[in-house]
């Protein structure tokens, strides 16, 4: 496996993701974050899910890492992830719009990403770009597949002061997302 480091001025996470898509030379792109610890079999599990030759988005399971600080953000994320994946464990067929996202621990053929133009950089950086791309792919008819044996662990160490700013940015970006995808609005919790 070869590793290539690409450096560029900081233009936000969305630009970094799109740059990675453009410069990658493999057939499948696997998205990860710097705060994820990957199971040893993660790459093998994603690769195996793409052997059928059918373009699809494969997403795996995520847990909060056991060595995350014992703070409210980690507890909240752990509860949310447990609820989300418990639903998928009961019914592995992804549901629109709840499973229409392309973020950490997701893999997809690079050609599909290039055809769609990657992540939308007009949404606020690091806010709902994963949902927007998922909605666009779903509307194109690209199937989503839950692959529970592709596992990552998120080290949740978010400082308290960043949580309040996240809420503001999330709200602004969610409104932009709903304007772009009006059919998503009833699921977004945005008031009329």
């Amino acid at each position: 496996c070869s590793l290539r480091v690409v450096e560029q001025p900081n233009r936000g996470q969305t630009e970094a993701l799109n740059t990675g898509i453009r410069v990658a030379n493999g057939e499948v792109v696997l998205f990860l974050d710097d705060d994820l610890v990957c199971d040893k079999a993660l790459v093998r599990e994603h690769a195996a899910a793409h052997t059928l030759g059918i373009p699809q988005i494969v997403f795996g399971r995520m847990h909060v890492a056991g060595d995350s600080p014992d703070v409210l953000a980690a507890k909240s994320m752990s509860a949310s992830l447990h609820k989300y994946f418990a639903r998928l464990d009961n019914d592995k067929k992804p549901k629109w719009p709840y499973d229409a996202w392309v973020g950490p621990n997701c893999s997809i053929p690079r050609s599909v990403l290039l055809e769609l133009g990657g992540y939308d950089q007009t949404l606020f950086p690091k806010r709902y770009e994963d949902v927007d791309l998922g909605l666009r792919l779903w509307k194109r008819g690209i199937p989503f597949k839950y692959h529970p044996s592709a596992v990552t662990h998120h080290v949740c160490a978010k400082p308290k002061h960043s949580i309040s700013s996240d809420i503001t940015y999330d709200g602004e970006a969610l409104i932009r997302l709903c304007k772009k995808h009006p059919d998503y609005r009833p699921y977004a919790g945005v008031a009329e």
Side-chain angles (χ1 to χ4, degrees), residues 129-178:
E129 74 280 350
D130 56 341
V131 176
D132 168 65
L133 181 56
L135 293 171
R136 289 187 286 138
L137 288 163
W138 198 292
K139 290 172 184 178
R140 281 276 182 99
I142 307 293
F144 284 68
K145 180 182 178 189
Y146 172 50
H147 197 65
S149 55
V151 179
T152 58
H153 302 269
H154 181 258
V155 179
C156 188
K158 188 169 269 218
K160 282 191 289 188
H161 68 276
S162 72
I163 295 172
S164 60
S165 65
D166 282 356
I167 293 169
T168 301
Y169 289 129
D170 284 350
E172 292 173 3
L174 186 58
I175 289 169
R176 284 183 182 208
L177 180 70
C178 289

mmCIF file of all heavy atoms in Angstrom, residues 129-178:
data_model
loop_
_atom_site.group_PDB
_atom_site.id
_atom_site.type_symbol
_atom_site.label_atom_id
_atom_site.label_comp_id
_atom_site.label_asym_id
_atom_site.label_seq_id
_atom_site.Cartn_x
_atom_site.Cartn_y
_atom_site.Cartn_z
ATOM 1 N N GLU A 129 -22.492 18.328 4.692
ATOM 2 C CA GLU A 129 -22.031 17.963 3.358
ATOM 3 C C GLU A 129 -22.176 16.469 3.136
ATOM 4 O O GLU A 129 -22.420 16.023 2.019
ATOM 5 C CB GLU A 129 -20.581 18.416 3.121
ATOM 6 C CG GLU A 129 -19.520 17.601 3.829
ATOM 7 C CD GLU A 129 -19.326 17.938 5.309
ATOM 8 O OE1 GLU A 129 -19.877 18.944 5.784
ATOM 9 O OE2 GLU A 129 -18.620 17.178 5.981
ATOM 10 N N ASP A 130 -22.075 15.683 4.217
ATOM 11 C CA ASP A 130 -22.221 14.234 4.117
ATOM 12 C C ASP A 130 -23.664 13.834 3.816
ATOM 13 O O ASP A 130 -23.919 12.913 3.040
ATOM 14 C CB ASP A 130 -21.709 13.545 5.384
ATOM 15 C CG ASP A 130 -22.382 14.031 6.657
ATOM 16 O OD1 ASP A 130 -22.981 15.135 6.671
ATOM 17 O OD2 ASP A 130 -22.297 13.313 7.667
ATOM 18 N N VAL A 131 -24.617 14.553 4.401
ATOM 19 C CA VAL A 131 -26.038 14.271 4.147
ATOM 20 C C VAL A 131 -26.409 14.716 2.736
ATOM 21 O O VAL A 131 -27.096 14.003 2.005
ATOM 22 C CB VAL A 131 -26.935 14.937 5.205
ATOM 23 C CG1 VAL A 131 -28.412 14.720 4.889
ATOM 24 C CG2 VAL A 131 -26.601 14.411 6.600
ATOM 25 N N ASP A 132 -25.942 15.896 2.336
ATOM 26 C CA ASP A 132 -26.229 16.383 0.987
ATOM 27 C C ASP A 132 -25.751 15.387 -0.067
ATOM 28 O O ASP A 132 -26.497 15.035 -0.988
ATOM 29 C CB ASP A 132 -25.563 17.743 0.760
ATOM 30 C CG ASP A 132 -25.582 18.145 -0.700
ATOM 31 O OD1 ASP A 132 -26.682 18.369 -1.244
ATOM 32 O OD2 ASP A 132 -24.499 18.192 -1.316
ATOM 33 N N LEU A 133 -24.509 14.926 0.068
ATOM 34 C CA LEU A 133 -23.991 13.959 -0.901
ATOM 35 C C LEU A 133 -24.811 12.667 -0.859
ATOM 36 O O LEU A 133 -25.151 12.101 -1.899
ATOM 37 C CB LEU A 133 -22.516 13.669 -0.634
ATOM 38 C CG LEU A 133 -21.835 12.688 -1.588
ATOM 39 C CD1 LEU A 133 -21.960 13.127 -3.040
ATOM 40 C CD2 LEU A 133 -20.377 12.495 -1.197
ATOM 41 N N GLY A 134 -25.167 12.220 0.332
ATOM 42 C CA GLY A 134 -25.992 11.020 0.455
ATOM 43 C C GLY A 134 -27.342 11.170 -0.215
ATOM 44 O O GLY A 134 -27.808 10.265 -0.917
ATOM 45 N N LEU A 135 -27.983 12.308 -0.023
ATOM 46 C CA LEU A 135 -29.283 12.543 -0.655
ATOM 47 C C LEU A 135 -29.156 12.565 -2.179
ATOM 48 O O LEU A 135 -29.990 11.996 -2.888
ATOM 49 C CB LEU A 135 -29.888 13.857 -0.149
ATOM 50 C CG LEU A 135 -30.300 13.881 1.324
ATOM 51 C CD1 LEU A 135 -30.682 15.293 1.750
ATOM 52 C CD2 LEU A 135 -31.424 12.907 1.622
ATOM 53 N N ARG A 136 -28.102 13.210 -2.688
ATOM 54 C CA ARG A 136 -27.903 13.244 -4.136
ATOM 55 C C ARG A 136 -27.663 11.845 -4.698
ATOM 56 O O ARG A 136 -28.193 11.491 -5.754
ATOM 57 C CB ARG A 136 -26.737 14.179 -4.495
ATOM 58 C CG ARG A 136 -27.081 15.644 -4.288
ATOM 59 C CD ARG A 136 -25.993 16.573 -4.797
ATOM 60 N NE ARG A 136 -24.835 16.557 -3.913
ATOM 61 C CZ ARG A 136 -23.563 16.532 -4.330
ATOM 62 N NH1 ARG A 136 -23.281 16.493 -5.616
ATOM 63 N NH2 ARG A 136 -22.573 16.562 -3.471
ATOM 64 N N LEU A 137 -26.879 11.037 -3.998
ATOM 65 C CA LEU A 137 -26.612 9.666 -4.449
ATOM 66 C C LEU A 137 -27.882 8.813 -4.399
ATOM 67 O O LEU A 137 -28.150 8.029 -5.309
ATOM 68 C CB LEU A 137 -25.509 9.041 -3.598
ATOM 69 C CG LEU A 137 -24.105 9.592 -3.848
ATOM 70 C CD1 LEU A 137 -23.178 9.227 -2.705
ATOM 71 C CD2 LEU A 137 -23.567 9.083 -5.169
ATOM 72 N N TRP A 138 -28.636 8.945 -3.318
ATOM 73 C CA TRP A 138 -29.880 8.174 -3.172
ATOM 74 C C TRP A 138 -30.837 8.509 -4.322
ATOM 75 O O TRP A 138 -31.447 7.618 -4.919
ATOM 76 C CB TRP A 138 -30.523 8.475 -1.830
ATOM 77 C CG TRP A 138 -31.535 7.456 -1.412
ATOM 78 C CD1 TRP A 138 -32.754 7.208 -1.989
ATOM 79 C CD2 TRP A 138 -31.422 6.527 -0.336
ATOM 80 N NE1 TRP A 138 -33.408 6.199 -1.334
ATOM 81 C CE2 TRP A 138 -32.612 5.762 -0.313
ATOM 82 C CE3 TRP A 138 -30.448 6.281 0.610
ATOM 83 C CZ2 TRP A 138 -32.844 4.769 0.630
ATOM 84 C CZ3 TRP A 138 -30.687 5.294 1.549
ATOM 85 C CH2 TRP A 138 -31.864 4.544 1.547
ATOM 86 N N LYS A 139 -30.945 9.807 -4.621
ATOM 87 C CA LYS A 139 -31.844 10.239 -5.697
ATOM 88 C C LYS A 139 -31.366 9.735 -7.062
ATOM 89 O O LYS A 139 -32.173 9.603 -7.979
ATOM 90 C CB LYS A 139 -31.970 11.763 -5.695
ATOM 91 C CG LYS A 139 -32.735 12.279 -4.497
ATOM 92 C CD LYS A 139 -32.684 13.794 -4.410
ATOM 93 C CE LYS A 139 -33.375 14.274 -3.146
ATOM 94 N NZ LYS A 139 -33.302 15.737 -3.001
ATOM 95 N N ARG A 140 -30.087 9.470 -7.204
ATOM 96 C CA ARG A 140 -29.529 8.905 -8.429
ATOM 97 C C ARG A 140 -29.752 7.399 -8.518
ATOM 98 O O ARG A 140 -29.414 6.770 -9.507
ATOM 99 C CB ARG A 140 -28.031 9.165 -8.505
ATOM 100 C CG ARG A 140 -27.644 10.543 -8.942
ATOM 101 C CD ARG A 140 -27.662 10.606 -10.482
ATOM 102 N NE ARG A 140 -27.260 11.900 -10.940
ATOM 103 C CZ ARG A 140 -26.058 12.218 -11.377
ATOM 104 N NH1 ARG A 140 -25.113 11.322 -11.391
ATOM 105 N NH2 ARG A 140 -25.800 13.437 -11.784
ATOM 106 N N GLY A 141 -30.254 6.816 -7.434
ATOM 107 C CA GLY A 141 -30.516 5.379 -7.447
ATOM 108 C C GLY A 141 -29.328 4.520 -7.038
ATOM 109 O O GLY A 141 -29.355 3.302 -7.230
ATOM 110 N N ILE A 142 -28.298 5.130 -6.470
ATOM 111 C CA ILE A 142 -27.144 4.361 -5.997
ATOM 112 C C ILE A 142 -27.531 3.702 -4.677
ATOM 113 O O ILE A 142 -27.928 4.384 -3.735
ATOM 114 C CB ILE A 142 -25.909 5.267 -5.803
ATOM 115 C CG1 ILE A 142 -25.601 6.075 -7.069
ATOM 116 C CG2 ILE A 142 -24.706 4.449 -5.345
ATOM 117 C CD1 ILE A 142 -25.157 5.270 -8.251
ATOM 118 N N PRO A 143 -27.440 2.372 -4.571
ATOM 119 C CA PRO A 143 -27.853 1.701 -3.337
ATOM 120 C C PRO A 143 -26.878 1.933 -2.180
ATOM 121 O O PRO A 143 -25.674 2.066 -2.373
ATOM 122 C CB PRO A 143 -27.901 0.224 -3.720
ATOM 123 C CG PRO A 143 -27.100 0.094 -4.957
ATOM 124 C CD PRO A 143 -27.043 1.428 -5.616
ATOM 125 N N PHE A 144 -27.440 1.979 -0.986
ATOM 126 C CA PHE A 144 -26.678 2.078 0.253
ATOM 127 C C PHE A 144 -26.711 0.712 0.924
ATOM 128 O O PHE A 144 -27.760 0.068 0.960
ATOM 129 C CB PHE A 144 -27.291 3.127 1.189
ATOM 130 C CG PHE A 144 -26.999 4.541 0.781
ATOM 131 C CD1 PHE A 144 -27.532 5.083 -0.377
ATOM 132 C CD2 PHE A 144 -26.186 5.333 1.571
ATOM 133 C CE1 PHE A 144 -27.268 6.387 -0.752
ATOM 134 C CE2 PHE A 144 -25.904 6.644 1.205
ATOM 135 C CZ PHE A 144 -26.453 7.169 0.043
ATOM 136 N N LYS A 145 -25.579 0.290 1.466
ATOM 137 C CA LYS A 145 -25.500 -1.026 2.098
ATOM 138 C C LYS A 145 -24.841 -0.901 3.471
ATOM 139 O O LYS A 145 -23.713 -0.408 3.577
ATOM 140 C CB LYS A 145 -24.696 -1.986 1.235
ATOM 141 C CG LYS A 145 -24.570 -3.369 1.839
ATOM 142 C CD LYS A 145 -23.720 -4.269 0.979
ATOM 143 C CE LYS A 145 -23.588 -5.640 1.644
ATOM 144 N NZ LYS A 145 -22.618 -6.472 0.953
ATOM 145 N N TYR A 146 -25.547 -1.340 4.492
ATOM 146 C CA TYR A 146 -25.000 -1.381 5.844
ATOM 147 C C TYR A 146 -24.154 -2.635 5.980
ATOM 148 O O TYR A 146 -24.609 -3.744 5.709
ATOM 149 C CB TYR A 146 -26.137 -1.380 6.861
ATOM 150 C CG TYR A 146 -25.713 -1.603 8.290
ATOM 151 C CD1 TYR A 146 -24.686 -0.862 8.853
ATOM 152 C CD2 TYR A 146 -26.365 -2.538 9.069
ATOM 153 C CE1 TYR A 146 -24.306 -1.066 10.180
ATOM 154 C CE2 TYR A 146 -26.002 -2.744 10.393
ATOM 155 C CZ TYR A 146 -24.972 -1.999 10.942
ATOM 156 O OH TYR A 146 -24.601 -2.199 12.246
ATOM 157 N N HIS A 147 -22.913 -2.469 6.387
ATOM 158 C CA HIS A 147 -21.960 -3.576 6.526
ATOM 159 C C HIS A 147 -21.450 -3.553 7.983
ATOM 160 O O HIS A 147 -20.444 -2.906 8.289
ATOM 161 C CB HIS A 147 -20.832 -3.379 5.522
ATOM 162 C CG HIS A 147 -20.020 -4.588 5.260
ATOM 163 N ND1 HIS A 147 -20.520 -5.726 4.665
ATOM 164 C CD2 HIS A 147 -18.716 -4.847 5.516
ATOM 165 C CE1 HIS A 147 -19.561 -6.629 4.556
ATOM 166 N NE2 HIS A 147 -18.455 -6.118 5.070
ATOM 167 N N PRO A 148 -22.154 -4.234 8.908
ATOM 168 C CA PRO A 148 -21.850 -4.107 10.343
ATOM 169 C C PRO A 148 -20.472 -4.598 10.760
ATOM 170 O O PRO A 148 -19.986 -4.219 11.827
ATOM 171 C CB PRO A 148 -22.950 -4.933 11.021
ATOM 172 C CG PRO A 148 -23.468 -5.846 9.976
ATOM 173 C CD PRO A 148 -23.263 -5.152 8.662
ATOM 174 N N SER A 149 -19.816 -5.398 9.942
ATOM 175 C CA SER A 149 -18.492 -5.892 10.338
ATOM 176 C C SER A 149 -17.365 -4.925 9.953
ATOM 177 O O SER A 149 -16.195 -5.192 10.241
ATOM 178 C CB SER A 149 -18.240 -7.282 9.753
ATOM 179 O OG SER A 149 -18.402 -7.258 8.364
ATOM 180 N N ALA A 150 -17.691 -3.795 9.331
ATOM 181 C CA ALA A 150 -16.710 -2.742 9.064
ATOM 182 C C ALA A 150 -16.817 -1.750 10.223
ATOM 183 O O ALA A 150 -17.728 -0.927 10.275
ATOM 184 C CB ALA A 150 -17.007 -2.066 7.735
ATOM 185 N N VAL A 151 -15.907 -1.841 11.189
ATOM 186 C CA VAL A 151 -16.071 -1.155 12.475
ATOM 187 C C VAL A 151 -14.976 -0.112 12.719
ATOM 188 O O VAL A 151 -13.795 -0.371 12.488
ATOM 189 C CB VAL A 151 -16.063 -2.172 13.633
ATOM 190 C CG1 VAL A 151 -16.208 -1.486 14.986
ATOM 191 C CG2 VAL A 151 -17.179 -3.203 13.442
ATOM 192 N N THR A 152 -15.420 1.050 13.196
ATOM 193 C CA THR A 152 -14.502 2.085 13.668
ATOM 194 C C THR A 152 -14.928 2.515 15.065
ATOM 195 O O THR A 152 -16.078 2.307 15.470
ATOM 196 C CB THR A 152 -14.492 3.326 12.750
ATOM 197 O OG1 THR A 152 -15.817 3.848 12.674
ATOM 198 C CG2 THR A 152 -13.974 3.001 11.372
ATOM 199 N N HIS A 153 -13.990 3.143 15.779
ATOM 200 C CA HIS A 153 -14.238 3.655 17.138
ATOM 201 C C HIS A 153 -13.853 5.126 17.143
ATOM 202 O O HIS A 153 -12.713 5.481 16.836
ATOM 203 C CB HIS A 153 -13.408 2.884 18.162
ATOM 204 C CG HIS A 153 -13.682 1.413 18.132
ATOM 205 N ND1 HIS A 153 -14.643 0.825 18.916
ATOM 206 C CD2 HIS A 153 -13.148 0.425 17.383
ATOM 207 C CE1 HIS A 153 -14.675 -0.467 18.665
ATOM 208 N NE2 HIS A 153 -13.776 -0.733 17.733
ATOM 209 N N HIS A 154 -14.812 5.985 17.485
ATOM 210 C CA HIS A 154 -14.605 7.426 17.475
ATOM 211 C C HIS A 154 -14.084 7.879 18.837
ATOM 212 O O HIS A 154 -14.721 7.628 19.862
ATOM 213 C CB HIS A 154 -15.929 8.130 17.168
ATOM 214 C CG HIS A 154 -15.836 9.603 17.111
ATOM 215 N ND1 HIS A 154 -16.244 10.410 18.139
ATOM 216 C CD2 HIS A 154 -15.370 10.430 16.152
ATOM 217 C CE1 HIS A 154 -16.045 11.665 17.812
ATOM 218 N NE2 HIS A 154 -15.513 11.707 16.614
ATOM 219 N N VAL A 155 -12.925 8.530 18.851
ATOM 220 C CA VAL A 155 -12.392 9.098 20.082
ATOM 221 C C VAL A 155 -13.063 10.459 20.235
ATOM 222 O O VAL A 155 -12.728 11.416 19.537
ATOM 223 C CB VAL A 155 -10.856 9.242 20.037
ATOM 224 C CG1 VAL A 155 -10.349 9.864 21.331
ATOM 225 C CG2 VAL A 155 -10.208 7.888 19.794
ATOM 226 N N CYS A 156 -14.026 10.528 21.118
ATOM 227 C CA CYS A 156 -14.855 11.722 21.277
ATOM 228 C C CYS A 156 -14.250 12.599 22.369
ATOM 229 O O CYS A 156 -14.445 12.354 23.552
ATOM 230 C CB CYS A 156 -16.277 11.300 21.637
ATOM 231 S SG CYS A 156 -17.442 12.656 21.631
ATOM 232 N N ALA A 157 -13.513 13.609 21.964
ATOM 233 C CA ALA A 157 -12.844 14.500 22.917
ATOM 234 C C ALA A 157 -13.141 15.949 22.572
ATOM 235 O O ALA A 157 -12.262 16.792 22.554
ATOM 236 C CB ALA A 157 -11.348 14.231 22.905
ATOM 237 N N LYS A 158 -14.387 16.250 22.287
ATOM 238 C CA LYS A 158 -14.787 17.600 21.876
ATOM 239 C C LYS A 158 -14.828 18.522 23.089
ATOM 240 O O LYS A 158 -15.475 18.205 24.084
ATOM 241 C CB LYS A 158 -16.167 17.535 21.225
ATOM 242 C CG LYS A 158 -16.589 18.834 20.583
ATOM 243 C CD LYS A 158 -17.819 18.613 19.751
ATOM 244 C CE LYS A 158 -17.354 18.274 18.375
ATOM 245 N NZ LYS A 158 -18.105 18.809 17.309
ATOM 246 N N PRO A 159 -14.142 19.674 23.020
ATOM 247 C CA PRO A 159 -14.192 20.614 24.146
ATOM 248 C C PRO A 159 -15.580 21.226 24.300
ATOM 249 O O PRO A 159 -16.305 21.404 23.313
ATOM 250 C CB PRO A 159 -13.154 21.676 23.788
ATOM 251 C CG PRO A 159 -12.852 21.502 22.348
ATOM 252 C CD PRO A 159 -13.269 20.121 21.948
ATOM 253 N N LYS A 160 -15.940 21.570 25.541
ATOM 254 C CA LYS A 160 -17.279 22.097 25.817
ATOM 255 C C LYS A 160 -17.600 23.341 25.005
ATOM 256 O O LYS A 160 -18.710 23.490 24.507
ATOM 257 C CB LYS A 160 -17.424 22.437 27.303
ATOM 258 C CG LYS A 160 -17.658 21.264 28.199
ATOM 259 C CD LYS A 160 -18.057 21.697 29.585
ATOM 260 C CE LYS A 160 -16.880 22.304 30.314
ATOM 261 N NZ LYS A 160 -17.141 22.582 31.716
ATOM 262 N N HIS A 161 -16.634 24.258 24.859
ATOM 263 C CA HIS A 161 -16.915 25.518 24.178
ATOM 264 C C HIS A 161 -17.257 25.326 22.699
ATOM 265 O O HIS A 161 -17.931 26.152 22.102
ATOM 266 C CB HIS A 161 -15.743 26.491 24.326
ATOM 267 C CG HIS A 161 -14.505 26.056 23.598
ATOM 268 N ND1 HIS A 161 -13.603 25.172 24.138
ATOM 269 C CD2 HIS A 161 -14.058 26.369 22.370
ATOM 270 C CE1 HIS A 161 -12.629 24.973 23.273
ATOM 271 N NE2 HIS A 161 -12.874 25.681 22.193
ATOM 272 N N SER A 162 -16.827 24.236 22.094
ATOM 273 C CA SER A 162 -17.114 24.040 20.664
ATOM 274 C C SER A 162 -18.530 23.525 20.437
ATOM 275 O O SER A 162 -19.056 23.654 19.336
ATOM 276 C CB SER A 162 -16.096 23.091 20.037
ATOM 277 O OG SER A 162 -16.315 21.777 20.468
ATOM 278 N N ILE A 163 -19.148 22.955 21.457
ATOM 279 C CA ILE A 163 -20.503 22.401 21.281
ATOM 280 C C ILE A 163 -21.502 23.509 20.980
ATOM 281 O O ILE A 163 -22.340 23.379 20.088
ATOM 282 C CB ILE A 163 -20.916 21.577 22.514
ATOM 283 C CG1 ILE A 163 -20.002 20.352 22.628
ATOM 284 C CG2 ILE A 163 -22.381 21.171 22.436
ATOM 285 C CD1 ILE A 163 -20.178 19.558 23.896
ATOM 286 N N SER A 164 -21.423 24.654 21.682
ATOM 287 C CA SER A 164 -22.382 25.732 21.432
ATOM 288 C C SER A 164 -22.188 26.342 20.050
ATOM 289 O O SER A 164 -23.161 26.678 19.376
ATOM 290 C CB SER A 164 -22.288 26.804 22.522
ATOM 291 O OG SER A 164 -20.993 27.357 22.538
ATOM 292 N N SER A 165 -20.947 26.499 19.586
ATOM 293 C CA SER A 165 -20.749 27.029 18.234
ATOM 294 C C SER A 165 -21.214 26.019 17.191
ATOM 295 O O SER A 165 -21.704 26.403 16.129
ATOM 296 C CB SER A 165 -19.284 27.417 18.008
ATOM 297 O OG SER A 165 -18.459 26.286 18.053
ATOM 298 N N ASP A 166 -21.085 24.724 17.472
ATOM 299 C CA ASP A 166 -21.573 23.703 16.551
ATOM 300 C C ASP A 166 -23.066 23.851 16.316
ATOM 301 O O ASP A 166 -23.543 23.702 15.195
ATOM 302 C CB ASP A 166 -21.308 22.296 17.100
ATOM 303 C CG ASP A 166 -19.872 21.847 16.930
ATOM 304 O OD1 ASP A 166 -19.082 22.589 16.316
ATOM 305 O OD2 ASP A 166 -19.548 20.752 17.411
ATOM 306 N N ILE A 167 -23.810 24.135 17.363
ATOM 307 C CA ILE A 167 -25.267 24.250 17.253
ATOM 308 C C ILE A 167 -25.635 25.375 16.297
ATOM 309 O O ILE A 167 -26.509 25.216 15.437
ATOM 310 C CB ILE A 167 -25.899 24.453 18.649
ATOM 311 C CG1 ILE A 167 -25.720 23.183 19.485
ATOM 312 C CG2 ILE A 167 -27.370 24.834 18.534
ATOM 313 C CD1 ILE A 167 -26.063 23.344 20.951
ATOM 314 N N THR A 168 -24.962 26.519 16.399
ATOM 315 C CA THR A 168 -25.242 27.647 15.507
ATOM 316 C C THR A 168 -24.941 27.282 14.065
ATOM 317 O O THR A 168 -25.765 27.490 13.169
ATOM 318 C CB THR A 168 -24.403 28.876 15.922
ATOM 319 O OG1 THR A 168 -24.740 29.210 17.267
ATOM 320 C CG2 THR A 168 -24.672 30.062 15.012
ATOM 321 N N TYR A 169 -23.752 26.743 13.817
ATOM 322 C CA TYR A 169 -23.377 26.361 12.453
ATOM 323 C C TYR A 169 -24.287 25.267 11.917
ATOM 324 O O TYR A 169 -24.652 25.277 10.744
ATOM 325 C CB TYR A 169 -21.921 25.906 12.394
ATOM 326 C CG TYR A 169 -20.929 27.024 12.580
ATOM 327 C CD1 TYR A 169 -19.908 26.918 13.508
ATOM 328 C CD2 TYR A 169 -21.004 28.180 11.813
ATOM 329 C CE1 TYR A 169 -18.988 27.949 13.679
ATOM 330 C CE2 TYR A 169 -20.095 29.208 11.971
ATOM 331 C CZ TYR A 169 -19.084 29.090 12.911
ATOM 332 O OH TYR A 169 -18.183 30.092 13.071
ATOM 333 N N ASP A 170 -24.649 24.307 12.766
ATOM 334 C CA ASP A 170 -25.543 23.239 12.330
ATOM 335 C C ASP A 170 -26.879 23.794 11.874
ATOM 336 O O ASP A 170 -27.419 23.370 10.853
ATOM 337 C CB ASP A 170 -25.768 22.217 13.453
ATOM 338 C CG ASP A 170 -24.601 21.281 13.650
ATOM 339 O OD1 ASP A 170 -23.678 21.272 12.804
ATOM 340 O OD2 ASP A 170 -24.592 20.547 14.654
ATOM 341 N N GLY A 171 -27.424 24.745 12.620
ATOM 342 C CA GLY A 171 -28.715 25.330 12.257
ATOM 343 C C GLY A 171 -28.661 26.043 10.922
ATOM 344 O O GLY A 171 -29.534 25.867 10.067
ATOM 345 N N GLU A 172 -27.631 26.864 10.717
ATOM 346 C CA GLU A 172 -27.491 27.594 9.456
ATOM 347 C C GLU A 172 -27.317 26.635 8.281
ATOM 348 O O GLU A 172 -27.930 26.809 7.231
ATOM 349 C CB GLU A 172 -26.300 28.547 9.541
ATOM 350 C CG GLU A 172 -26.519 29.700 10.510
ATOM 351 C CD GLU A 172 -25.264 30.538 10.708
ATOM 352 O OE1 GLU A 172 -24.229 30.268 10.065
ATOM 353 O OE2 GLU A 172 -25.339 31.475 11.514
ATOM 354 N N ALA A 173 -26.490 25.627 8.456
ATOM 355 C CA ALA A 173 -26.256 24.672 7.376
ATOM 356 C C ALA A 173 -27.489 23.816 7.096
ATOM 357 O O ALA A 173 -27.773 23.474 5.944
ATOM 358 C CB ALA A 173 -25.059 23.785 7.709
ATOM 359 N N LEU A 174 -28.232 23.475 8.143
ATOM 360 C CA LEU A 174 -29.440 22.675 7.961
ATOM 361 C C LEU A 174 -30.478 23.433 7.132
ATOM 362 O O LEU A 174 -31.152 22.858 6.278
ATOM 363 C CB LEU A 174 -30.018 22.269 9.316
ATOM 364 C CG LEU A 174 -31.196 21.315 9.302
ATOM 365 C CD1 LEU A 174 -30.842 20.020 8.574
ATOM 366 C CD2 LEU A 174 -31.644 21.008 10.729
ATOM 367 N N ILE A 175 -30.574 24.731 7.352
ATOM 368 C CA ILE A 175 -31.504 25.540 6.555
ATOM 369 C C ILE A 175 -31.072 25.539 5.091
ATOM 370 O O ILE A 175 -31.890 25.375 4.183
ATOM 371 C CB ILE A 175 -31.603 26.969 7.123
ATOM 372 C CG1 ILE A 175 -32.365 26.916 8.457
ATOM 373 C CG2 ILE A 175 -32.289 27.915 6.138
ATOM 374 C CD1 ILE A 175 -32.323 28.181 9.264
ATOM 375 N N ARG A 176 -29.769 25.689 4.829
ATOM 376 C CA ARG A 176 -29.273 25.635 3.453
ATOM 377 C C ARG A 176 -29.551 24.274 2.814
ATOM 378 O O ARG A 176 -29.930 24.180 1.659
ATOM 379 C CB ARG A 176 -27.776 25.901 3.406
ATOM 380 C CG ARG A 176 -27.395 27.325 3.587
ATOM 381 C CD ARG A 176 -25.895 27.481 3.458
ATOM 382 N NE ARG A 176 -25.544 28.856 3.687
ATOM 383 C CZ ARG A 176 -24.486 29.445 3.160
ATOM 384 N NH1 ARG A 176 -23.683 28.753 2.380
ATOM 385 N NH2 ARG A 176 -24.220 30.686 3.408
ATOM 386 N N LEU A 177 -29.342 23.209 3.595
ATOM 387 C CA LEU A 177 -29.589 21.859 3.094
ATOM 388 C C LEU A 177 -31.058 21.685 2.724
ATOM 389 O O LEU A 177 -31.382 21.116 1.680
ATOM 390 C CB LEU A 177 -29.169 20.824 4.141
ATOM 391 C CG LEU A 177 -29.369 19.371 3.754
ATOM 392 C CD1 LEU A 177 -28.386 18.963 2.658
ATOM 393 C CD2 LEU A 177 -29.188 18.467 4.969
ATOM 394 N N CYS A 178 -31.962 22.177 3.572
ATOM 395 C CA CYS A 178 -33.399 22.034 3.304
ATOM 396 C C CYS A 178 -33.836 22.864 2.106
ATOM 397 O O CYS A 178 -34.777 22.477 1.399
ATOM 398 C CB CYS A 178 -34.203 22.412 4.545
ATOM 399 S SG CYS A 178 -34.060 21.195 5.862
#
